[in-house]
Amino acid sequence: MRKLIRKIDAVISSPAPPDLVLKRHCGECGFQSRCRQKAIEEDDLSLLAGMTEKERRKFNSKGIFTVTQLSYTFRPRRRPRRLVAKREKYHHSLKALSIRDKKIHIVGRPELKIEGTPVFLDVEGLPDNNFYYLIGVRIEDDKDVMRHSLWADTCADEERIWNAFLDILSGIDSPVLIHFGSFETKFLKRMCDRYGGPSEGSAASKAIASSINLLSVIFAQVYFPSYSNGLKENARFLGFEWNDPSSSGLQSIVWRHQWEESRDPTVQEKVIVYNAEHAIKAFARLQKIVSGLSNKRGIDEYLTLLSVAETCEYQGLDFLDFLRSGEKDIHAFSETKRRRRRGNVKLTMCNK
């Protein structure tokens, strides 16, 4: 306690403001947007959400203070054969490189096998009360998309929405549960312990036991050009936008408390829309992207496009112009562009 008091006293007595460092609890602070904007302007390392304070200090001791500086330290290395099957560790430098280049980088061969009907699950709860009040489900097949929003007014309704969820899951042919993060993993375990799960050996029971955490598939294998592995940032890069910029998991808790005080249906609708239309729909789109990257054909196509894009950049050609031209030979496309330039120069000289 005395150590903390001395630190606080030093900050207060110092004429200079304290160093700007973004932390996990910034989301609860009213100055979050201002601090984040300043961190972006300074390109501060604390923007990388997965980096610990110890790691940041280690980089600082090497003279690395910005994300751009860190991006130049990544060096791809060939892994020994004995480690090929072992998962690659997380590289902050590769994350920084993705941000600098605004490109997705893939390490190894991420695997995401979905053999059955995808069922996207997103749950909202009140952690302090150990209470889950909203179960969002999105079911996709070749013909249609079905959505369910199971709402609990009180803790007594929690068992009701859990049983309703099990009924939905039992009515699906070969369901495969997909979620984003460990929150839903804990939810499934706690609900089975609290109220019981589906009958053993059933398709629903197998789906719960082998649910897929999409975040674990992405982590250390797919590097998006975003400061964190959060759903909101990655989905935004893929073109998905939230109608309410303030919507988040923390904001949904605020809305739930507001609804409990007022019972205002518009506040309830905000939470349901955030869960159903935004959170679930966003990571459903993310899953499709990752699924395309995780199979051999997807990786081969990605590497082919990447090599073509790099070749175009090296030769000073526009990558999109090359794709639109329908030409299959970059050198032939480049020669055609040069001939057109020469023709334009001769025509200009004749006019003069």
Side-chain angles (χ1 to χ4, degrees), residues 67-127:
V67 175
T68 303
Q69 288 174 338
L70 180 62
S71 69
Y72 286 100
T73 65
F74 177 72
R75 295 291 182 272
R77 292 178 175 86
R78 180 174 291 179
R79 306 192 75 196
R81 287 186 178 180
R82 58 188 174 83
L83 297 177
V84 169
K86 191 176 180 181
R87 189 158 180 167
E88 183 76 33
K89 69 173 185 177
Y90 187 83
H91 297 282
H92 293 295
S93 54
L94 183 54
K95 185 71 168 174
L97 180 62
S98 295
I99 294 169
R100 191 191 81 193
D101 292 345
K102 295 182 174 57
K103 295 177 182 176
I104 299 174
H105 288 272
I106 302 171
V107 175
R109 290 182 178 270
E111 293 184 4
L112 179 60
K113 294 181 180 179
I114 300 176
E115 298 175 351
T117 305
V119 180
F120 299 97
L121 171 69
D122 190 63
V123 178
E124 309 298 336
L126 301 176

Side-chain angles (χ1 to χ4, degrees), residues 33-283:
S33 57
R34 189 173 73 175
C35 292
R36 186 171 181 80
Q37 183 58 40
K38 187 176 179 182
I40 291 173
E41 291 171 2
E42 296 178 358
D43 197 25
D44 192 79
L45 279 180
S46 64
L47 284 164
L48 298 176
M51 185 180 291
T52 63
E53 187 175 352
K54 184 179 179 180
E55 289 172 324
R56 190 172 63 253
R57 286 178 179 175
K58 187 177 179 181
F59 285 124
N60 290 164
S61 67
K62 297 178 180 178
I64 300 170
F65 296 92
T66 68
V67 175
T68 303
Q69 288 174 338
L70 180 62
S71 69
Y72 286 100
T73 65
F74 177 72
R75 295 291 182 272
R77 292 178 175 86
R78 180 174 291 179
R79 306 192 75 196
R81 287 186 178 180
R82 58 188 174 83
L83 297 177
V84 169
K86 191 176 180 181
R87 189 158 180 167
E88 183 76 33
K89 69 173 185 177
Y90 187 83
H91 297 282
H92 293 295
S93 54
L94 183 54
K95 185 71 168 174
L97 180 62
S98 295
I99 294 169
R100 191 191 81 193
D101 292 345
K102 295 182 174 57
K103 295 177 182 176
I104 299 174
H105 288 272
I106 302 171
V107 175
R109 290 182 178 270
E111 293 184 4
L112 179 60
K113 294 181 180 179
I114 300 176
E115 298 175 351
T117 305
V119 180
F120 299 97
L121 171 69
D122 190 63
V123 178
E124 309 298 336
L126 301 176
D128 293 342
N129 300 336
N130 196 18
F131 166 45
Y132 301 99
Y133 64 86
L134 177 59
I135 304 174
V137 181
R138 179 185 175 95
I139 306 161
E140 292 191 0
D141 55 29
D142 298 334
K143 298 178 181 178
D144 198 11
V145 175
M146 292 180 288
R147 293 185 294 268
H148 301 273
S149 297
L150 309 174
W151 178 274
D153 288 343
T154 64
C155 293
D157 295 325
E158 188 180 64
E159 184 177 5
R160 174 183 57 80
I161 65 172
W162 169 248
N163 289 329
F165 168 69
L166 294 181
D167 290 340
I168 293 169
L169 203 59
S170 300
I172 301 170
D173 183 32
S174 302
V176 179
L177 270 178
I178 307 170
H179 53 87
F180 193 89
S182 60
F183 188 78
E184 282 72 22
T185 305
K186 294 175 183 176
F187 160 78
L188 293 170
K189 186 178 184 306
R190 287 176 180 173
M191 291 297 99
C192 286
D193 293 341
R194 196 175 294 176
Y195 305 115
S199 57
E200 193 173 346
S202 64
S205 178
K206 292 177 182 177
I208 291 174
S210 59
S211 64
I212 298 172
N213 182 357
L214 190 59
L215 181 57
S216 66
V217 177
I218 294 172
F219 185 78
Q221 295 190 97
V222 183
Y223 290 79
F224 285 90
S226 55
Y227 292 115
S228 74
N229 283 320
L231 174 62
K232 199 167 185 178
E233 286 199 57
N234 291 337
R236 185 178 288 118
F237 171 74
L238 299 174
F240 192 93
E241 289 293 339
W242 272 254
N243 292 334
D244 188 342
S246 67
S247 59
S248 64
L250 183 63
Q251 184 60 48
S252 68
I253 295 175
V254 175
W255 286 334
R256 170 69 193 197
H257 284 302
Q258 289 176 351
W259 176 83
E260 288 180 349
E261 292 175 0
S262 64
R263 299 284 168 162
D264 186 350
T266 58
V267 178
Q268 180 185 16
E269 186 65 19
K270 280 184 179 181
V271 183
I272 292 175
V273 168
Y274 162 71
N275 176 272
E277 293 296 328
H278 300 157
I280 298 182
K281 193 174 180 181
F283 88 74

